Amino acid sequence: MDTSKSTSPHPSYARVFLTFIRNSLVRDMSFRGNFLIESIASTSWVFMNVGFYLLIFQFTNQIGPDSGWGKYEFFVFLATTMFVNSVVQALFMPNAQEFSELIRTGGLDFVLLKPIDTQFLVSFQRVEWSTLSNFLVGIVMLAYSMYQLMTRDVNPLHLSPIAVVIYPLFILCGIIVLYSLMITLAATSIWLGRNQTLYNFWFYITNFSRYPMEIYSGPAGVALSSFFTFIIPVLVVVNVPARVMAKPLAASGWFLPLFTIVATIGSVLASRWVFRQALLSYRSASS
């Protein structure tokens, strides 16, 4: 099948994306009860996690010996996790799940005929607004944790203006890295026919991004952290922005932040190449 696109007239991607956002919001608001239940369920899961970590910190001062991730430092880490995961789950996860169905039902044929980039179209068609409730919880948690760190009596945190500026940048980098991994996994549906294990495999890999890098000790831990930092860079997704806010950059160095930028660019290019190669292998459902 010819997967080339007609670019005349040239589509406005920002306008199309805003249309997707508006349509998704209208759809969710048409079933307000369902939207409310999903939002409550999502935030309830977050509060259960927070309660679990509050219980842990009753028996220890840090996550990992001499890791530097005390109670409120770790809650900054947890809030950063909420920012990244809520955006990824709202924008990309539902669309990645639908991609295998488009292949199975032949719907990808119609997507390929539209005068817009295929990857853009299959990545942003749907937005799950209910999962963004976790983003709001993350804002409250980050504000409270930073206040506690900056006003504590012993070794108060001195937050530099540059940290406030680059924190959203590295959150964006983390979102892009996870999106690149997700669209790569979704593209395998073209070769595998119907990839129903996307959710499971996704959480197996990203589970490593939910904990500080310092807890990986010993030969096995170092090997794991190296693999999931430099080969599949999921460990930098949350660790780097959380360190920017919770720890002075002078203490952790600039290597990981700079590597995160390189890894983000590399992830985008690699996922784009895989997606295009997968489309070249696609055969129309009508052929």
Side-chain angles (χ1 to χ4, degrees), residues 31-52:
F31 304 94
R32 292 182 178 85
N34 181 68
F35 175 80
L36 184 61
I37 291 172
E38 288 182 348
S39 299
I40 293 174
S42 182
T43 53
S44 297
W45 177 253
V46 169
F47 286 131
M48 283 190 287
N49 278 331
V50 172
F52 172 72

Side-chain angles (χ1 to χ4, degrees), residues 20 91-92 94-96 98-99 102 108 111 117-126 179 183 275:
F20 289 156
L91 294 181
F92 308 125
N95 297 299
E98 290 294 325
F99 190 57
L102 288 175
L108 186 57
V111 174
D117 184 78
T118 303
Q119 184 175 337
F120 174 86
L121 196 58
V122 301
S123 298
F124 296 103
Q125 283 192 88
R126 231 177 121 189
Y179 163 72
I183 199 66
F275 190 85

Side-chain angles (χ1 to χ4, degrees), residues 72-93:
Y72 294 109
E73 287 90 351
F74 183 76
F75 283 148
V76 171
F77 186 97
L78 197 59
T80 306
T81 304
M82 292 179 195
F83 294 150
V84 174
N85 287 344
S86 63
V87 173
V88 170
Q89 291 173 10
L91 294 181
F92 308 125
M93 181 60 80

Side-chain angles (χ1 to χ4, degrees), residues 89-284:
Q89 291 173 10
L91 294 181
F92 308 125
M93 181 60 80
N95 297 299
Q97 284 184 286
E98 290 294 325
F99 190 57
S100 63
E101 285 299 302
L102 288 175
I103 298 167
R104 186 182 68 86
T105 60
L108 186 57
D109 293 358
F110 299 99
V111 174
L112 290 168
L113 293 174
K114 294 181 179 179
I116 195 170
D117 184 78
T118 303
Q119 184 175 337
F120 174 86
L121 196 58
V122 301
S123 298
F124 296 103
Q125 283 192 88
R126 231 177 121 189
V127 178
E128 290 289 347
W129 282 92
S130 59
T131 61
L132 290 176
S133 58
N134 292 345
F135 196 96
L136 301 178
V137 176
I139 292 176
V140 175
M141 180 177 294
L142 178 66
Y144 178 75
S145 300
M146 292 303 299
Y147 174 78
Q148 293 294 329
L149 290 174
M150 296 174 69
T151 59
R152 61 188 176 186
D153 296 331
V154 180
N155 192 24
L157 177 68
H158 299 286
L159 187 63
S160 65
I162 189 173
V164 178
V165 173
I166 66 177
Y167 179 67
L169 169 65
F170 285 112
I171 285 181
L172 179 61
C173 288
I175 291 170
I176 293 173
V177 168
L178 290 189
Y179 163 72
S180 300
L181 176 60
M182 181 177 294
I183 199 66
T184 300
L185 292 174
T188 62
S189 299
I190 293 178
W191 291 311
L192 299 178
R194 189 180 184 191
N195 186 0
Q196 294 181 301
T197 62
L198 174 64
Y199 242 133
N200 293 335
F201 195 56
W202 166 256
F203 282 109
Y204 291 153
I205 294 177
T206 58
N207 189 54
F208 290 96
S209 70
R210 302 177 187 182
Y211 306 100
M213 301 173 75
E214 287 82 357
I215 71 170
Y216 296 98
S217 59
V222 171
L224 277 174
S225 64
S226 298
F227 180 81
F228 286 107
T229 299
F230 301 109
I231 307 301
I232 303 177
V234 293
L235 271 180
V236 302
V237 166
V238 178
N239 274 272
V240 170
R243 287 178 184 218
V244 166
M245 293 296 281
K247 296 183 177 183
L249 277 177
S252 57
W254 283 95
F255 172 74
L256 274 179
L258 293 176
F259 173 77
T260 300
I261 295 174
V262 174
T264 301
I265 297 172
S267 298
V268 170
L269 296 177
S271 64
R272 181 67 171 172
W273 181 83
V274 171
F275 190 85
R276 286 184 169 181
Q277 292 299 118
L279 282 185
L280 292 175
S281 302
Y282 177 70
R283 294 296 176 265
S284 171

